Amino acid sequence: MTSVVLTVFLGQTGCTPTYLSKENIIPKPVSVVPTGSSFNMNDQTDIYVQGESAEMKQVGQYLADKLNISTGLGLEVKSTIEAPTPGNIFLSISGDDAELGDEGYQLTITKESVSLLANKPAGLFHGIQTIRQILPAKVEMNSVQKGPWKLATGTIRDFSTYGYRGSMLDVARHFFEVDELKSLIDQMAFYKMNVFHLHLSDDQGWRIEIKSWPNLTKHGGSTEVGGGEGGFYTQEQYSGIVKYAQDRYITIIPEIDMPGHINAAMASYPELNCNGKATELYTGIEVGFSSFCTGKEITYKFIDDVIRELAALTPGPYIHIGGDESHSTKIEDYIPFVNRVQDMVIAHGKKVLGWDEIALSTLKPNTIAQYWAKAENATKAVAQGAKVLMSPAKYAYLDMQYDSTSTFGLHWAGYVEVDKGYNWDPGNLEPEIKKENIIGIEAPLWSETVSNRQEAEYLIFPRLPGYAEIGWTPVELRNWDNYKVRLANHGERMKAMNINFYPSKLVPWNTKDVK
Ligand code: TNX
């Protein structure tokens, strides 16, 4: 009896992990069966991938690169047909474990070996995140740390509840550098998120190079909220971001917000305006004052060019057309506009995503409405047979302040403390929106009040892991009192990753120096 208690205790402090528990894993896995021993990773350990697939080797290399930095163990990636000799890590594809789906995995750790099995490489990639989270937090450091590097033994079977688990960054209100996006992509991958939505244009800035309309970035990208110098991504840089995300099983969804939130374009090309005159660039934070001239044919030539270039840069299935807060577009102009733009996206081989207002139009097959403000709009989408992406501002907006003392953020949808952000169920929020109507969840960060990585992280963390869990873990397995302990255990990891997180008082952080 004494020894059992002791094992559990040591397991939870992370000193000698011999008890595989859910307490360090976010999102919480579907099932964990501990066997009470440990696997010791040492300088003899290598990573074997089954077969010769380049993708499998890449996934294996991702794990090796992560582990080698902090462990210094020099793990190498090798290929093999059968399970390797004891002492190694083995990644393999099964293909016939239906329950695991495209993103699930089974991780079996014994004293002799670590074996990760999935139907698809995406599942292996998610399983690798679990391996990272089972190891001591210092595995996330950027320099060599002292071992031992032990993994508690047992079996984890794990798969996702929703297929779309995303976050969004508004790079229009403030511009963010390519490296800042990559760092957020890495953080999302750590929590098994798989979609990154980029809000690429708004009144204050146009951030993606469009070769057929070069003034969009030259002029329209030249400033941002507060009058800073703004910026934009060249198509080459953008493709680099897409590839970086793809290598982490994250799909990028580009958004061009229209017919409102379009001042940066109207300031760049006079001919887009009804009166033929370019507007002034805008650096404030009001919304709802700009509109495309929906009656002018050149507007549609412009949109078609933009969507064509964007579609060519987008391997993912969706293009987001915005559609929110078009207060300066008459409803009788808005509806045919959204109908026509949907057709244009489809003609370029993509599906449409738009904020919930687009449900006022006739949604095309496969169009998704992103619920942010009005349940009534999302309900209209469901009534049309469309699926809904859940981003209710009062629970899921990363730019809402934690409380009235928060340094950054807004509070028009209320304050969202860490518990409030976690404690809701997408399938049980609005009576007419059921689980089967929902493709998933997305937590957007609007950037009116944040302009760099540290400031953004303060709003993103520690709420993002909670949204990741809402998207991944079955609702029956989620509960705040259990989650807050796991989040507390992630304090050390976030510190090791140098993440500037908000040290919410609601979380019993177990890192001594987390304030
Ligand atoms: C509403 S959310 C907006 C954005 C703002 C955000 C600030 C949405 C579809 N529109 O334009 O940035 O509020 O929280």
Side-chain angles (χ1 to χ4, degrees):
M1 189 60 206
T2 323
S3 90
V4 172
V5 172
L6 188 66
T7 320
V8 173
F9 173 69
L10 290 175
Q12 288 190 344
T13 62
C15 297
T16 309
T18 52
Y19 190 82
L20 184 64
S21 81
K22 297 183 182 180
E23 302 318 324
N24 288 318
I25 308 171
I26 300 177
K28 186 180 202 169
V30 173
S31 121
V32 176
V33 180
T35 49
S37 184
S38 68
F39 172 84
N40 191 17
M41 208 164 69
N42 59 37
D43 58 7
Q44 302 296 304
T45 307
D46 283 316
I47 297 168
Y48 284 80
V49 301
Q50 181 193 40
E52 292 293 339
S53 130
E55 188 175 359
M56 293 278 285
K57 286 185 189 164
Q58 186 177 306
V59 170
Q61 196 58 51
Y62 174 93
L63 177 60
D65 291 346
K66 279 277 169 237
L67 300 183
N68 285 337
I69 296 171
S70 53
T71 66
L73 293 176
L75 288 94
E76 285 175 28
V77 178
K78 302 178 174 174
S79 68
T80 177
I81 313 268
E82 291 184 351
T85 50
N88 293 300
I89 300 171
F90 182 41
L91 311 185
S92 64
I93 293 285
S94 115
D96 60 2
D97 192 335
E99 191 185 43
L100 297 183
D102 287 351
E103 295 192 285
Y105 63 92
Q106 177 170 301
L107 175 62
T108 311
I109 306 168
T110 66
K111 265 158 81 173
E112 289 76 37
S113 67
V114 174
S115 173
L116 184 58
L117 180 80
N119 292 325
K120 297 270 167 65
L124 295 176
F125 185 80
H126 297 320
I128 283 171
Q129 310 313 319
T130 299
I131 293 177
R132 289 169 67 187
Q133 295 191 9
I134 292 171
L135 283 160
K138 61 188 174 194
V139 77
E140 300 304 331
M141 302 283 279
N142 249 333
S143 56
V144 177
Q145 306 294 310
K146 234 177 129 253
W149 301 101
K150 291 191 176 181
L151 288 120
T153 59
T155 298
I156 297 180
R157 274 183 68 80
D158 198 13
F159 45 88
S160 173
T161 294
Y162 291 107
Y164 186 123
R165 305 175 304 280
S167 186
M168 184 207 86
L169 182 63
D170 168 9
V171 295
R173 269 51 176 272
H174 280 104
F175 179 68
F176 289 79
E177 303 293 338
V178 171
D179 280 350
E180 295 178 306
L181 301 193
K182 287 185 175 169
S183 134
L184 182 52
I185 288 169
D186 283 329
Q187 294 161 356
M188 289 175 62
F190 187 59
Y191 292 108
K192 303 185 175 78
M193 297 182 102
N194 64 359
V195 181
F196 188 28
H197 166 184
L198 284 172
H199 184 76
L200 291 169
S201 68
D202 212 302
D203 291 319
Q204 298 85 346
W206 187 285
R207 308 297 179 207
I208 176 74
E209 176 191 19
I210 300 295
K211 294 194 197 272
S212 51
W213 297 78
N215 216 34
L216 284 172
T217 43
K218 187 162 178 274
H219 184 62
S222 66
T223 191
E224 61 183 10
V225 166
E229 68 179 24
F232 66 93
Y233 312 113
T234 63
Q235 293 199 354
E236 206 180 351
Q237 286 173 325
Y238 186 81
S239 293
I241 297 164
V242 168
K243 170 82 170 63
Y244 190 86
Q246 219 170 18
D247 287 347
R248 286 151 186 77
Y249 296 89
I250 290 176
T251 302
I252 300 278
I253 299 187
E255 176 186 353
I256 299 298
D257 202 347
M258 58 183 119
H261 288 281
I262 198 68
N263 184 66
M266 307 311 265
S268 304
Y269 286 98
E271 60 269 43
L272 293 177
N273 292 270
C274 288
N275 66 4
K277 291 198 186 106
T279 59
E280 293 292 314
L281 290 171
Y282 181 69
T283 60
I285 64 166
E286 294 301 313
V287 297
F289 62 87
S290 61
S291 176
F292 262 138
C293 186
T294 55
K296 249 184 165 179
E297 211 35 45
I298 191 168
T299 300
Y300 300 95
K301 161 89 177 104
F302 171 85
I303 296 170
D304 194 55
D305 286 340
V306 169
I307 293 175
R308 178 175 17 84
E309 291 196 33
L310 212 49
L313 295 168
T314 303
Y318 292 105
I319 288 194
H320 200 302
I321 61 169
D324 60 310
E325 298 174 320
S326 300
H327 306 320
S328 303
T329 317
K330 291 198 192 97
I331 187 71
E332 57 270 34
D333 296 333
Y334 178 86
I335 291 171
F337 174 87
V338 172
N339 287 340
R340 188 163 170 185
V341 173
Q342 286 184 82
D343 284 335
M344 293 162 88
V345 170
I346 293 163
H348 288 294
K350 299 296 170 188
K351 297 175 189 170
V352 179
L353 244 164
W355 298 105
D356 59 44
E357 290 96 323
I358 65 162
L360 300 169
S361 74
T362 307
L363 301 179
K364 307 286 166 178
N366 300 317
T367 291
I368 309 278
Q370 183 167 7
Y371 170 38
W372 67 282
K374 279 202 178 158
E376 185 190 320
N377 289 338
T379 303
K380 280 199 174 99
V382 169
Q384 294 192 52
K387 289 236 187 310
V388 174
L389 172 61
M390 297 297 280
S391 302
K394 58 179 185 264
Y395 295 108
Y397 264 26
L398 288 165
D399 65 315
M400 290 302 114
Q401 292 174 307
Y402 295 97
D403 64 24
S404 61
T405 68
S406 292
T407 323
F408 302 107
L410 304 169
H411 54 258
W412 64 264
Y415 297 110
V416 182
E417 245 296 359
V418 184
D419 60 342
K420 186 167 182 200
Y422 178 81
N423 254 331
W424 62 284
D425 172 24
N428 214 350
L429 194 65
E430 305 294 346
E432 287 87 3
I433 309 172
K434 307 263 186 292
K435 183 167 180 259
E436 59 270 23
N437 308 124
I438 296 171
I439 60 161
I441 151 169
E442 182 181 293
L445 179 63
W446 299 98
S447 64
E448 285 94 335
T449 65
V450 290
S451 62
N452 59 41
R453 178 186 147 178
Q454 278 72 26
E455 294 171 0
E457 282 178 355
Y458 185 83
L459 289 173
I460 296 171
F461 289 93
R463 287 182 287 202
L464 191 80
Y467 300 122
E469 179 152 310
I470 294 174
W472 181 278
T473 307
V475 63
E476 314 78 64
L477 298 183
R478 296 201 289 111
N479 129 351
W480 166 253
D481 284 330
N482 170 275
Y483 173 71
K484 73 179 181 196
V485 175
R486 283 179 291 123
L487 186 57
N489 289 341
H490 271 238
E492 267 183 291
R493 279 171 212 274
M494 289 190 280
K495 288 189 70 170
M497 289 188 234
N498 208 10
I499 294 175
N500 178 36
F501 64 97
Y502 161 70
S504 168
K505 291 192 178 61
L506 303 182
V507 180
W509 304 106
N510 64 3
T511 13
K512 284 182 208 72
D513 44 354
V514 176
K515 286 194 279 316

